[in-house]
Amino acid sequence: MDVNTRLLRYFLAVADTGSLTGAARVLFVSQPALTKQIGRLEAQLGVALFTRSRTGMVLTEAGQALARRAPALVDACEQALRETKSAASRAARVLRVGFIASAANEATQQIIAAFTDAQPGWRVDMHQAPWSDPTAGLADGEVDVALLRLPFPGQESLRVEVLLTEPRWVALPATHPLADRDRVAFRELWDEPFVAAPAATGPWRDYWLAADEREGRPVRIGATTDQPDDWLQAIANGYGVALAPESAARFYARPGVAYRPVTGVSPSHIGVAWPPAGGGDPAVRRFVRCCLRARTAATTGETREAGTVDSDELTTGTDSERNHR
């Protein structure tokens, strides 16, 4: 019998959500495809895992038994794969760095140059991720370290250092009446449709909709996308507006899209993130130090002097730093 971890992940998503529709949305697959995969798993095991009804999917006794064991099986398999890929990267002298959108803005090249100078014979492979993966591959072990927008799902389980802070602006269709303003109050955007990241990104999507800063007003979604080019096109086409970091006006300028400063909304943070176990990897430690040396003076809260994180901190860290946003 050959049951792969993908089938187990599909099973757990259905078990967690209690419905094929909800699980398909979380997994970014079609409902018919998911139904087929659940049927395949049941056929391989020779048991029914769910009782299907109009109200949802209910686990059978066999399904409950699998639901108790499957998370540990999936975690163990994925951890083994992460360690295997990481070992291969170290052997090839490659540091895999994930990033979202513009990474650490203009500091990105400075960080990479500093790392390659400090780690002779190594190279940095940059992996850009869609917005549907706010950890840029870090959660799945596809990268060793990542430059990310904070907050993001799963942040509490990783080591994170804030590198820079910048205001959030608004991206508008160039023909929008507010595009003629020098700046826009966030309150004036509450009734506008927004171009949003996929719902499965949870807190990350909510942050870029400023859902907690609307005084209870509901968010209108005009379009959903996880790719910067599609995001820009949706805005230019008039499907909605979107909050964006100030740097987006430099990195994602496009005809038909206007960027304006926004008042009344909190700023955006960029951080470097890595797994707690990654602190034992000399290449990861060195990359993080290079990030800290490039950190601007505009960080939020109590700014630590660049480069003050030592080897012990990178290995163990503190709860406050892991949760720092």
mmCIF file of all heavy atoms in Angstrom, residues 156-182:
data_model
loop_
_atom_site.group_PDB
_atom_site.id
_atom_site.type_symbol
_atom_site.label_atom_id
_atom_site.label_comp_id
_atom_site.label_asym_id
_atom_site.label_seq_id
_atom_site.Cartn_x
_atom_site.Cartn_y
_atom_site.Cartn_z
ATOM 1 N N GLU A 156 4.823 32.965 14.731
ATOM 2 C CA GLU A 156 5.171 32.690 16.125
ATOM 3 C C GLU A 156 6.103 31.490 16.274
ATOM 4 O O GLU A 156 6.776 31.343 17.300
ATOM 5 C CB GLU A 156 3.897 32.469 16.944
ATOM 6 C CG GLU A 156 3.104 31.229 16.593
ATOM 7 C CD GLU A 156 2.257 31.399 15.337
ATOM 8 O OE1 GLU A 156 2.161 32.536 14.809
ATOM 9 O OE2 GLU A 156 1.687 30.398 14.864
ATOM 10 N N SER A 157 6.187 30.628 15.274
ATOM 11 C CA SER A 157 7.038 29.440 15.374
ATOM 12 C C SER A 157 8.422 29.661 14.777
ATOM 13 O O SER A 157 9.239 28.737 14.759
ATOM 14 C CB SER A 157 6.363 28.257 14.668
ATOM 15 O OG SER A 157 6.267 28.493 13.271
ATOM 16 N N LEU A 158 8.695 30.864 14.286
ATOM 17 C CA LEU A 158 9.967 31.162 13.637
ATOM 18 C C LEU A 158 10.719 32.259 14.384
ATOM 19 O O LEU A 158 10.150 32.986 15.197
ATOM 20 C CB LEU A 158 9.712 31.616 12.190
ATOM 21 C CG LEU A 158 9.011 30.605 11.275
ATOM 22 C CD1 LEU A 158 8.582 31.285 9.984
ATOM 23 C CD2 LEU A 158 9.925 29.426 10.976
ATOM 24 N N ARG A 159 11.992 32.370 14.112
ATOM 25 C CA ARG A 159 12.772 33.517 14.577
ATOM 26 C C ARG A 159 12.587 34.645 13.585
ATOM 27 O O ARG A 159 12.646 34.425 12.370
ATOM 28 C CB ARG A 159 14.268 33.162 14.659
ATOM 29 C CG ARG A 159 14.629 32.111 15.699
ATOM 30 C CD ARG A 159 14.401 32.571 17.128
ATOM 31 N NE ARG A 159 14.798 33.941 17.342
ATOM 32 C CZ ARG A 159 16.055 34.373 17.546
ATOM 33 N NH1 ARG A 159 17.042 33.500 17.519
ATOM 34 N NH2 ARG A 159 16.305 35.642 17.744
ATOM 35 N N VAL A 160 12.340 35.842 14.052
ATOM 36 C CA VAL A 160 12.088 36.991 13.189
ATOM 37 C C VAL A 160 12.799 38.216 13.739
ATOM 38 O O VAL A 160 12.758 38.475 14.946
ATOM 39 C CB VAL A 160 10.572 37.298 13.086
ATOM 40 C CG1 VAL A 160 10.324 38.525 12.209
ATOM 41 C CG2 VAL A 160 9.808 36.102 12.528
ATOM 42 N N GLU A 161 13.469 38.940 12.870
ATOM 43 C CA GLU A 161 14.040 40.240 13.207
ATOM 44 C C GLU A 161 13.493 41.269 12.228
ATOM 45 O O GLU A 161 13.556 41.073 11.010
ATOM 46 C CB GLU A 161 15.570 40.216 13.126
ATOM 47 C CG GLU A 161 16.256 39.567 14.312
ATOM 48 C CD GLU A 161 16.344 40.504 15.511
ATOM 49 O OE1 GLU A 161 16.144 41.725 15.330
ATOM 50 O OE2 GLU A 161 16.607 39.998 16.626
ATOM 51 N N VAL A 162 12.942 42.367 12.750
ATOM 52 C CA VAL A 162 12.466 43.444 11.888
ATOM 53 C C VAL A 162 13.657 44.186 11.295
ATOM 54 O O VAL A 162 14.594 44.543 12.011
ATOM 55 C CB VAL A 162 11.573 44.424 12.688
ATOM 56 C CG1 VAL A 162 11.178 45.620 11.820
ATOM 57 C CG2 VAL A 162 10.325 43.714 13.183
ATOM 58 N N LEU A 163 13.622 44.409 9.999
ATOM 59 C CA LEU A 163 14.713 45.098 9.313
ATOM 60 C C LEU A 163 14.374 46.544 8.986
ATOM 61 O O LEU A 163 15.213 47.431 9.103
ATOM 62 C CB LEU A 163 15.074 44.360 8.019
ATOM 63 C CG LEU A 163 15.550 42.916 8.180
ATOM 64 C CD1 LEU A 163 15.889 42.331 6.818
ATOM 65 C CD2 LEU A 163 16.747 42.843 9.117
ATOM 66 N N LEU A 164 13.168 46.800 8.536
ATOM 67 C CA LEU A 164 12.795 48.171 8.209
ATOM 68 C C LEU A 164 11.291 48.340 8.279
ATOM 69 O O LEU A 164 10.535 47.381 8.249
ATOM 70 C CB LEU A 164 13.328 48.581 6.826
ATOM 71 C CG LEU A 164 12.869 47.797 5.592
ATOM 72 C CD1 LEU A 164 11.637 48.444 4.985
ATOM 73 C CD2 LEU A 164 13.979 47.731 4.563
ATOM 74 N N THR A 165 10.896 49.577 8.406
ATOM 75 C CA THR A 165 9.484 49.949 8.496
ATOM 76 C C THR A 165 9.202 51.023 7.470
ATOM 77 O O THR A 165 10.031 51.914 7.258
ATOM 78 C CB THR A 165 9.162 50.486 9.904
ATOM 79 O OG1 THR A 165 9.441 49.466 10.859
ATOM 80 C CG2 THR A 165 7.703 50.892 10.019
ATOM 81 N N GLU A 166 8.059 50.933 6.822
ATOM 82 C CA GLU A 166 7.670 51.957 5.861
ATOM 83 C C GLU A 166 6.173 52.152 5.897
ATOM 84 O O GLU A 166 5.426 51.233 6.251
ATOM 85 C CB GLU A 166 8.139 51.599 4.453
ATOM 86 C CG GLU A 166 7.606 50.286 3.928
ATOM 87 C CD GLU A 166 8.132 49.961 2.528
ATOM 88 O OE1 GLU A 166 8.282 50.889 1.721
ATOM 89 O OE2 GLU A 166 8.396 48.781 2.254
ATOM 90 N N PRO A 167 5.694 53.342 5.546
ATOM 91 C CA PRO A 167 4.247 53.590 5.585
ATOM 92 C C PRO A 167 3.515 52.722 4.572
ATOM 93 O O PRO A 167 4.085 52.303 3.564
ATOM 94 C CB PRO A 167 4.136 55.076 5.198
ATOM 95 C CG PRO A 167 5.500 55.644 5.369
ATOM 96 C CD PRO A 167 6.461 54.520 5.124
ATOM 97 N N ARG A 168 2.249 52.468 4.860
ATOM 98 C CA ARG A 168 1.383 51.854 3.865
ATOM 99 C C ARG A 168 0.710 52.961 3.058
ATOM 100 O O ARG A 168 0.185 53.926 3.622
ATOM 101 C CB ARG A 168 0.339 50.952 4.523
ATOM 102 C CG ARG A 168 0.884 49.595 4.896
ATOM 103 C CD ARG A 168 -0.197 48.629 5.342
ATOM 104 N NE ARG A 168 -0.668 48.901 6.695
ATOM 105 C CZ ARG A 168 -1.597 48.158 7.304
ATOM 106 N NH1 ARG A 168 -2.149 47.129 6.684
ATOM 107 N NH2 ARG A 168 -1.987 48.453 8.533
ATOM 108 N N TRP A 169 0.751 52.804 1.749
ATOM 109 C CA TRP A 169 0.091 53.719 0.833
ATOM 110 C C TRP A 169 -1.119 53.005 0.242
ATOM 111 O O TRP A 169 -1.402 51.864 0.587
ATOM 112 C CB TRP A 169 1.053 54.148 -0.285
ATOM 113 C CG TRP A 169 2.086 55.150 0.144
ATOM 114 C CD1 TRP A 169 2.559 55.384 1.399
ATOM 115 C CD2 TRP A 169 2.792 56.049 -0.717
ATOM 116 N NE1 TRP A 169 3.510 56.363 1.387
ATOM 117 C CE2 TRP A 169 3.675 56.798 0.102
ATOM 118 C CE3 TRP A 169 2.777 56.300 -2.089
ATOM 119 C CZ2 TRP A 169 4.524 57.778 -0.410
ATOM 120 C CZ3 TRP A 169 3.628 57.268 -2.611
ATOM 121 C CH2 TRP A 169 4.474 58.001 -1.777
ATOM 122 N N VAL A 170 -1.802 53.675 -0.662
ATOM 123 C CA VAL A 170 -2.904 53.049 -1.375
ATOM 124 C C VAL A 170 -2.606 53.073 -2.867
ATOM 125 O O VAL A 170 -2.092 54.070 -3.391
ATOM 126 C CB VAL A 170 -4.257 53.740 -1.088
ATOM 127 C CG1 VAL A 170 -4.259 55.181 -1.551
ATOM 128 C CG2 VAL A 170 -5.414 52.964 -1.737
ATOM 129 N N ALA A 171 -2.857 51.954 -3.525
ATOM 130 C CA ALA A 171 -2.755 51.867 -4.988
ATOM 131 C C ALA A 171 -4.164 52.013 -5.549
ATOM 132 O O ALA A 171 -5.076 51.262 -5.153
ATOM 133 C CB ALA A 171 -2.151 50.532 -5.406
ATOM 134 N N LEU A 172 -4.343 52.965 -6.444
ATOM 135 C CA LEU A 172 -5.659 53.305 -6.985
ATOM 136 C C LEU A 172 -5.641 53.245 -8.505
ATOM 137 O O LEU A 172 -4.595 53.466 -9.124
ATOM 138 C CB LEU A 172 -6.042 54.738 -6.595
ATOM 139 C CG LEU A 172 -6.073 55.147 -5.134
ATOM 140 C CD1 LEU A 172 -5.797 56.635 -5.013
ATOM 141 C CD2 LEU A 172 -7.434 54.829 -4.553
ATOM 142 N N PRO A 173 -6.784 53.005 -9.132
ATOM 143 C CA PRO A 173 -6.854 53.236 -10.581
ATOM 144 C C PRO A 173 -6.518 54.711 -10.845
ATOM 145 O O PRO A 173 -6.944 55.598 -10.093
ATOM 146 C CB PRO A 173 -8.317 52.934 -10.922
ATOM 147 C CG PRO A 173 -8.815 52.079 -9.798
ATOM 148 C CD PRO A 173 -8.079 52.523 -8.582
ATOM 149 N N ALA A 174 -5.748 54.971 -11.870
ATOM 150 C CA ALA A 174 -5.328 56.353 -12.149
ATOM 151 C C ALA A 174 -6.508 57.284 -12.369
ATOM 152 O O ALA A 174 -6.395 58.504 -12.167
ATOM 153 C CB ALA A 174 -4.410 56.368 -13.360
ATOM 154 N N THR A 175 -7.656 56.732 -12.765
ATOM 155 C CA THR A 175 -8.843 57.549 -13.019
ATOM 156 C C THR A 175 -9.714 57.728 -11.775
ATOM 157 O O THR A 175 -10.748 58.406 -11.827
ATOM 158 C CB THR A 175 -9.696 56.902 -14.117
ATOM 159 O OG1 THR A 175 -10.025 55.552 -13.732
ATOM 160 C CG2 THR A 175 -8.944 56.877 -15.449
ATOM 161 N N HIS A 176 -9.317 57.150 -10.668
ATOM 162 C CA HIS A 176 -10.117 57.242 -9.434
ATOM 163 C C HIS A 176 -10.115 58.679 -8.914
ATOM 164 O O HIS A 176 -9.067 59.354 -8.956
ATOM 165 C CB HIS A 176 -9.534 56.309 -8.381
ATOM 166 C CG HIS A 176 -10.447 56.029 -7.233
ATOM 167 N ND1 HIS A 176 -10.717 56.955 -6.249
ATOM 168 C CD2 HIS A 176 -11.164 54.912 -6.898
ATOM 169 C CE1 HIS A 176 -11.551 56.429 -5.361
ATOM 170 N NE2 HIS A 176 -11.835 55.193 -5.738
ATOM 171 N N PRO A 177 -11.241 59.188 -8.424
ATOM 172 C CA PRO A 177 -11.287 60.567 -7.916
ATOM 173 C C PRO A 177 -10.245 60.853 -6.834
ATOM 174 O O PRO A 177 -9.707 61.970 -6.779
ATOM 175 C CB PRO A 177 -12.712 60.684 -7.358
ATOM 176 C CG PRO A 177 -13.505 59.678 -8.123
ATOM 177 C CD PRO A 177 -12.580 58.548 -8.400
ATOM 178 N N LEU A 178 -9.930 59.863 -5.990
ATOM 179 C CA LEU A 178 -8.950 60.086 -4.924
ATOM 180 C C LEU A 178 -7.523 60.139 -5.440
ATOM 181 O O LEU A 178 -6.619 60.544 -4.705
ATOM 182 C CB LEU A 178 -9.077 58.986 -3.867
ATOM 183 C CG LEU A 178 -10.387 58.967 -3.070
ATOM 184 C CD1 LEU A 178 -10.412 57.766 -2.126
ATOM 185 C CD2 LEU A 178 -10.564 60.266 -2.283
ATOM 186 N N ALA A 179 -7.305 59.744 -6.685
ATOM 187 C CA ALA A 179 -5.949 59.776 -7.247
ATOM 188 C C ALA A 179 -5.446 61.209 -7.431
ATOM 189 O O ALA A 179 -4.245 61.424 -7.605
ATOM 190 C CB ALA A 179 -5.911 59.031 -8.579
ATOM 191 N N ASP A 180 -6.346 62.184 -7.386
ATOM 192 C CA ASP A 180 -5.941 63.588 -7.510
ATOM 193 C C ASP A 180 -5.479 64.175 -6.180
ATOM 194 O O ASP A 180 -4.976 65.291 -6.145
ATOM 195 C CB ASP A 180 -7.112 64.431 -8.046
ATOM 196 C CG ASP A 180 -7.455 64.084 -9.484
ATOM 197 O OD1 ASP A 180 -6.545 63.639 -10.204
ATOM 198 O OD2 ASP A 180 -8.626 64.256 -9.872
ATOM 199 N N ARG A 181 -5.647 63.449 -5.105
ATOM 200 C CA ARG A 181 -5.253 63.932 -3.778
ATOM 201 C C ARG A 181 -3.753 63.769 -3.551
ATOM 202 O O ARG A 181 -3.118 62.868 -4.102
ATOM 203 C CB ARG A 181 -5.982 63.137 -2.694
ATOM 204 C CG ARG A 181 -7.489 63.184 -2.770
ATOM 205 C CD ARG A 181 -8.035 64.414 -2.068
ATOM 206 N NE ARG A 181 -9.476 64.253 -1.863
ATOM 207 C CZ ARG A 181 -10.020 63.651 -0.810
ATOM 208 N NH1 ARG A 181 -9.249 63.154 0.134
ATOM 209 N NH2 ARG A 181 -11.342 63.549 -0.722
ATOM 210 N N ASP A 182 -3.203 64.612 -2.697
ATOM 211 C CA ASP A 182 -1.810 64.444 -2.271
ATOM 212 C C ASP A 182 -1.698 63.298 -1.276
ATOM 213 O O ASP A 182 -0.687 62.603 -1.223
ATOM 214 C CB ASP A 182 -1.287 65.734 -1.632
ATOM 215 C CG ASP A 182 -1.096 66.841 -2.651
ATOM 216 O OD1 ASP A 182 -0.861 66.521 -3.834
ATOM 217 O OD2 ASP A 182 -1.191 68.021 -2.265
#
